[in-house]
Amino acid sequence: MRADIVPGAKFPNYELPDHTNKMRRLSELQADDPMILTLARGHYCPKEHQQHRELAAFYPQIAVAYTQIVTISTDVHHTLQEFRASVGAQWTFLSDPKRTIQKDLDIQEYTDPENNPMIPHTLVLKPGLVIHSIYNGYWFWGRPSIADLWRDLRVATSEV
């Protein structure tokens, strides 16, 4: 990951097409709320499915807590829609098949040349796209649990 992507820094305000093919900026999706941002390997990864199913089960609490979730994947539009539907997600998924974010953040996963995914990361962002925490999910145990996210969101929200 780029050296300037650290807690306290501002995350880049990327603009990508969403699962409905509408161009969306991260700042627009976040508004004035905290956000969980997942940078996903793609639909083919069982680790992504597991993490996203857990987030989908947690979503009712996230929604009433005025918190947003966004997933960015290298999947093309229709595959992105299938991934979103298959995990029961109700939040916005953004498509980055040109791997703009992978290249900009320097998170190419070199062990999978066939799919050329991003190294998966989950970030908790305070309003203004300010990074509160970063999890490297290359190994499944590097991904945050729901308890980790709850703790991070409690702290981030109290700072707001």
Side-chain angles (χ1 to χ4, degrees):
M1 176 87 64
R2 249 175 38 193
D4 63 327
I5 304 298
V6 295
K10 188 171 180 177
F11 193 78
N13 191 16
Y14 296 112
E15 183 177 31
L16 295 165
D18 70 9
H19 57 275
T20 68
N21 227 12
K22 178 181 177 185
M23 294 299 290
R24 307 291 293 273
R25 284 200 169 277
L26 287 177
S27 59
E28 166 203 349
L29 294 167
Q30 183 182 36
D32 295 326
D33 299 323
M35 181 191 302
I36 299 167
L37 175 64
T38 65
L39 306 177
R41 294 180 80 219
H43 75 286
Y44 67 91
C45 178
K47 296 172 193 147
E48 293 298 350
H49 279 262
Q50 181 62 39
Q51 180 182 17
H52 282 78
R53 283 192 303 268
E54 290 175 15
L55 286 170
F58 186 43
Y59 186 76
Q61 289 131 317
I62 291 169
V64 299
Y66 305 106
T67 301
Q68 304 302 317
I69 304 180
V70 174
T71 293
I72 300 174
S73 173
T74 56
D75 292 327
V76 296
H77 177 71
H78 291 297
T79 306
L80 185 78
Q81 288 177 316
E82 291 171 6
F83 178 26
R84 183 176 179 268
S86 71
V87 297
Q90 299 177 45
W91 61 89
T92 303
F93 275 46
L94 300 175
S95 178
D96 187 19
K98 293 180 183 175
R99 287 146 175 83
T100 304
I101 293 169
Q102 177 207 66
K103 294 171 189 167
D104 186 51
L105 296 180
D106 192 24
I107 56 172
Q108 180 181 14
E109 186 181 313
Y110 61 89
T111 61
D112 185 358
E114 181 180 333
N115 293 296
N116 188 22
M118 299 185 276
I119 295 172
H121 286 79
T122 302
L123 298 95
V124 174
L125 304 174
K126 294 187 266 190
L129 300 176
V130 175
I131 301 167
H132 175 75
S133 54
I134 305 170
Y135 295 88
N136 181 329
Y138 180 73
W139 300 106
F140 184 75
W141 297 121
R143 296 166 190 247
S145 68
I146 298 306
D148 293 328
L149 293 172
W150 192 297
R151 182 193 66 238
D152 289 350
L153 289 165
R154 177 185 296 131
V155 172
T157 302
S158 70
E159 292 174 1
V160 175

